[in-house]
Amino acid sequence: MVSEHSCIKIDDDLPLETVALVGCGVPTGWGTAVNAGGVRPGDTTVVYGIGGVGINAVQGAAFAGALHVIAVDPLANKREAATRFGATHTAADAETAQEIVTEVTKGVGADEALITVGVVTEEVIAAAFAAVRKRGTVVITGLAGPGKKTIQLPSFELTLFEKRIQGALFGGGNPFDEIPRLLDLYRAGRLKLDELVTTRYRLEDVNQGYRDLLDGRNIRGLLIHEH
């Protein structure tokens, strides 16, 4: 049971399997790029972590008009998926991503670095901070433990380059606006939702679903409740 103030009415013809995807991961990733990141046409955007959130950050950055979208993930299947959702370049690690950023921007740096990894570390934040240009934006959407301190950056560079670090909850959007808008884009063929689902599981296969999640096999796993 949830409060009526937390419910969003959807059209009856939309399949619930599809709508389930926009409950969290899609708007969080999309909004990380479009809202919190403020990606604009011609930008260079780096996305660290291509899971259920990161893949939609890639999709959002591409939709917003980024010229270069660099997807960073150690797993080959996730890098390959990113190319289907708008990534122009992929990298297995932050060091390779930095080399790509340097090359495509002629040394200037990325406009946005979006952190959507499952567990945020000091290392990924430092890499993202180094990757962005003067007045570039680092968006931190992923989480670490509530008491864990993961940000340690040179204030000299932060001040003189006027770099910006932005936290983002639900992609910095309002669910009552964001979810209907995303579903409208889906209807119009401008947003990929069904293609996000790697595997569908029956309720009795839920443990396998969690195993596949932990092993990085899925972009999105969908649990089907059959009546």
Side-chain angles (χ1 to χ4, degrees):
M1 299 292 290
V2 296
S3 165
E4 63 184 290
H5 301 295
S6 298
C7 295
I8 297 171
K9 179 72 172 67
I10 60 169
D11 294 334
D12 294 336
D13 63 313
L14 287 168
L16 292 179
E17 288 184 26
T18 301
V19 174
L21 297 166
V22 301
C24 180
V26 174
T28 298
W30 178 276
T32 294
V34 175
N35 298 327
V39 176
R40 296 174 299 177
D43 278 1
T44 293
T45 306
V46 191
V47 182
Y48 297 86
I50 310 301
V53 174
I55 194 73
N56 291 293
V58 168
Q59 190 168 196
F63 182 88
L67 180 61
H68 304 113
V69 181
I70 302 155
V72 189
D73 199 285
L75 297 177
N77 63 314
K78 297 195 174 184
R79 297 196 301 272
E80 191 276 329
T83 63
R84 301 197 304 270
F85 284 81
T88 57
H89 302 78
T90 64
D93 53 57
E95 183 179 355
T96 305
Q98 179 66 67
E99 293 172 0
I100 296 170
V101 167
T102 301
E103 179 183 353
V104 300
T105 66
K106 298 180 173 62
V108 174
D111 299 281
E112 302 89 20
L114 315 177
I115 300 176
T116 53
V117 296
V119 179
V120 173
T121 63
E122 184 177 325
E123 289 75 19
V124 72
I125 292 176
F129 186 79
V132 295
R133 62 186 293 164
K134 292 180 179 179
R135 291 202 167 189
T137 300
V138 175
V139 180
I140 304 175
T141 296
L143 297 172
K148 191 172 179 60
K149 296 181 180 180
T150 52
I151 300 177
Q152 186 170 341
L153 300 170
S155 59
F156 180 89
E157 187 176 344
L158 182 70
T159 298
L160 295 187
F161 283 12
E162 294 190 337
K163 294 186 178 184
R164 180 169 175 260
I165 301 172
Q166 170 72 49
L169 174 65
F170 200 74
N174 180 339
F176 293 95
D177 294 329
E178 207 81 348
I179 289 175
R181 181 183 297 119
L182 291 171
L183 290 173
D184 285 344
L185 287 169
Y186 167 72
R187 284 184 188 277
R190 304 289 302 278
L191 174 68
K192 293 181 179 179
L193 292 181
D194 301 303
E195 296 88 342
L196 291 168
V197 180
T198 313
T199 311
R200 288 172 168 80
Y201 302 92
R202 296 174 301 172
L203 188 57
E204 55 265 37
D205 298 325
V206 63
N207 289 336
Q208 183 60 49
Y210 274 109
R211 172 49 53 197
D212 290 346
L213 168 69
L214 293 171
D215 290 343
R217 294 193 181 103
N218 287 336
I219 296 297
R220 286 275 84 174
L222 197 62
L223 189 64
I224 306 299
H225 296 262
E226 296 179 352
H227 299 289

